[in-house]
Amino acid sequence: MRLAIDVMGGDHAPDAILKGCVEALQVISPDDRLVLVGKRRVIEEYLDDVGVRDPRLETLHADDVIEMGDEPAKAVRGKPESSIVKMMLAGSAKYESLVPQRCDAVLSAGNTGACVSASIMHMKRLPGVHRPGIAVTIPALTGNLVLCDAGANPEPKPTHLWQYAIMSSCLAEKCLGIANPRVALMNIGSEDSKGSAEIKAARDLIRATPGINYIGYIEGREFFEGVADVVITDGFVGNTLLKMAEGLAKSLFKAIAQEIFETDPHLAMQFEPVVKRIYAKNDYHEHGGAPLLGVNGICLIAHGSSEARTIKAAVRNAKRYIESGLNDEIVARLDAAERVVQPQREYA
């Protein structure tokens, strides 16, 4: 595995990202390589400070940084020497001028919009894909589910949502081991009459596609109950839902811990291991990066507030995505679906 990592992107970069890369050496094989993309001086000074010199760590210099507040498309075009752009080039067919071998995957906790723009510009889209979408794995009551899109495409067309359903089904099957995943569309009600014209058009496309186990609409209150394995929505709703869930989970755990401690400190000590196990299952740091489905390569986008353990988890999970054959499956499934559903796409 060759994994390019943007060490300059994220709220806690570069130290937290570099620390995560060093810790990830524990979970990769002797033949794996982590290509650290960023300011060479910063990278080398950090590695000198922690006393690490490992042939599995390579450096790709990038003079510039796309900041979290930069306008994505403008920044990608205006900062060609940035770590995000250099990282994407290392994972693209244009790698020859930068690295001796194309990277199998790329990872960044930086500006999400810039990662999406740069991946489309340099890694390109898979054949047949209209718009890539971020697919996040989320723990639910009965196991993991896939949410797509989580922020790449805030105003999708029905055909985009339709393709997200196909691509996310492939992800659930190939990477999460879920057979015949149940697919639902996020909506304001479960009745067929509810929702916008775009949602209804996406519903018709998904319902008409062989191989998709479409179960209907899902409401927000059902999201964590495990009634679906794949939930499709637009990037605005998906990102809002994801961040609200993260904040709510953190607040609930703090409130529960405080109430138990105030009631009986001894009881709190007994419950501490249980609470920690439950929190670990719902901690986004444990899931690492989320794949950007639909790009010609493996692009993992990590949370902006990623810590070292987030990056370590993302590196560990990257190999699963690389070895899954996910992109080949997506191309084949989209091609087969296009042949069946093409006549019904008047609302695209």
Side-chain angles (χ1 to χ4, degrees), residues 7 43 117 197 271 287 344:
V7 303
I43 296 170
S117 295
F271 267 92
H287 293 275
Q344 303 183 39

mmCIF file of all heavy atoms in Angstrom, residues 7 43 117 197 271 287 344:
data_model
loop_
_atom_site.group_PDB
_atom_site.id
_atom_site.type_symbol
_atom_site.label_atom_id
_atom_site.label_comp_id
_atom_site.label_asym_id
_atom_site.label_seq_id
_atom_site.Cartn_x
_atom_site.Cartn_y
_atom_site.Cartn_z
ATOM 1 N N VAL A 7 -0.414 16.331 5.424
ATOM 2 C CA VAL A 7 -0.088 16.585 6.831
ATOM 3 C C VAL A 7 -0.369 18.025 7.247
ATOM 4 O O VAL A 7 -0.272 18.361 8.431
ATOM 5 C CB VAL A 7 1.383 16.231 7.134
ATOM 6 C CG1 VAL A 7 1.672 14.788 6.779
ATOM 7 C CG2 VAL A 7 2.344 17.172 6.422
ATOM 8 N N ILE A 43 7.967 18.711 8.289
ATOM 9 C CA ILE A 43 7.914 17.261 8.444
ATOM 10 C C ILE A 43 9.213 16.735 9.052
ATOM 11 O O ILE A 43 9.200 15.953 10.012
ATOM 12 C CB ILE A 43 7.648 16.581 7.083
ATOM 13 C CG1 ILE A 43 6.271 16.982 6.551
ATOM 14 C CG2 ILE A 43 7.759 15.055 7.207
ATOM 15 C CD1 ILE A 43 6.020 16.561 5.118
ATOM 16 N N SER A 117 -13.013 19.140 -4.869
ATOM 17 C CA SER A 117 -12.668 19.826 -6.121
ATOM 18 C C SER A 117 -11.367 19.301 -6.713
ATOM 19 O O SER A 117 -11.265 19.046 -7.922
ATOM 20 C CB SER A 117 -12.552 21.342 -5.879
ATOM 21 O OG SER A 117 -13.797 21.896 -5.522
ATOM 22 N N ALA A 197 -40.030 17.296 -5.233
ATOM 23 C CA ALA A 197 -40.073 16.629 -6.540
ATOM 24 C C ALA A 197 -38.772 15.893 -6.815
ATOM 25 O O ALA A 197 -38.773 14.813 -7.421
ATOM 26 C CB ALA A 197 -40.337 17.675 -7.629
ATOM 27 N N PHE A 271 -19.603 1.873 36.442
ATOM 28 C CA PHE A 271 -20.149 2.063 35.106
ATOM 29 C C PHE A 271 -19.107 2.581 34.107
ATOM 30 O O PHE A 271 -19.337 2.523 32.899
ATOM 31 C CB PHE A 271 -21.323 3.050 35.148
ATOM 32 C CG PHE A 271 -22.655 2.386 35.305
ATOM 33 C CD1 PHE A 271 -23.198 2.181 36.576
ATOM 34 C CD2 PHE A 271 -23.370 1.940 34.212
ATOM 35 C CE1 PHE A 271 -24.422 1.563 36.739
ATOM 36 C CE2 PHE A 271 -24.596 1.324 34.360
ATOM 37 C CZ PHE A 271 -25.124 1.128 35.630
ATOM 38 N N HIS A 287 -13.322 5.640 13.400
ATOM 39 C CA HIS A 287 -13.661 5.253 12.026
ATOM 40 C C HIS A 287 -12.717 5.857 10.989
ATOM 41 O O HIS A 287 -12.728 5.444 9.835
ATOM 42 C CB HIS A 287 -15.106 5.659 11.713
ATOM 43 C CG HIS A 287 -16.117 4.888 12.512
ATOM 44 N ND1 HIS A 287 -16.575 3.654 12.121
ATOM 45 C CD2 HIS A 287 -16.723 5.168 13.689
ATOM 46 C CE1 HIS A 287 -17.448 3.205 13.016
ATOM 47 N NE2 HIS A 287 -17.548 4.100 13.975
ATOM 48 N N GLN A 344 -35.974 6.082 -18.135
ATOM 49 C CA GLN A 344 -36.839 6.695 -17.131
ATOM 50 C C GLN A 344 -36.228 7.942 -16.499
ATOM 51 O O GLN A 344 -36.666 8.399 -15.456
ATOM 52 C CB GLN A 344 -37.141 5.662 -16.028
ATOM 53 C CG GLN A 344 -37.772 4.389 -16.530
ATOM 54 C CD GLN A 344 -38.100 3.453 -15.396
ATOM 55 O OE1 GLN A 344 -38.530 3.893 -14.338
ATOM 56 N NE2 GLN A 344 -37.907 2.177 -15.608
#
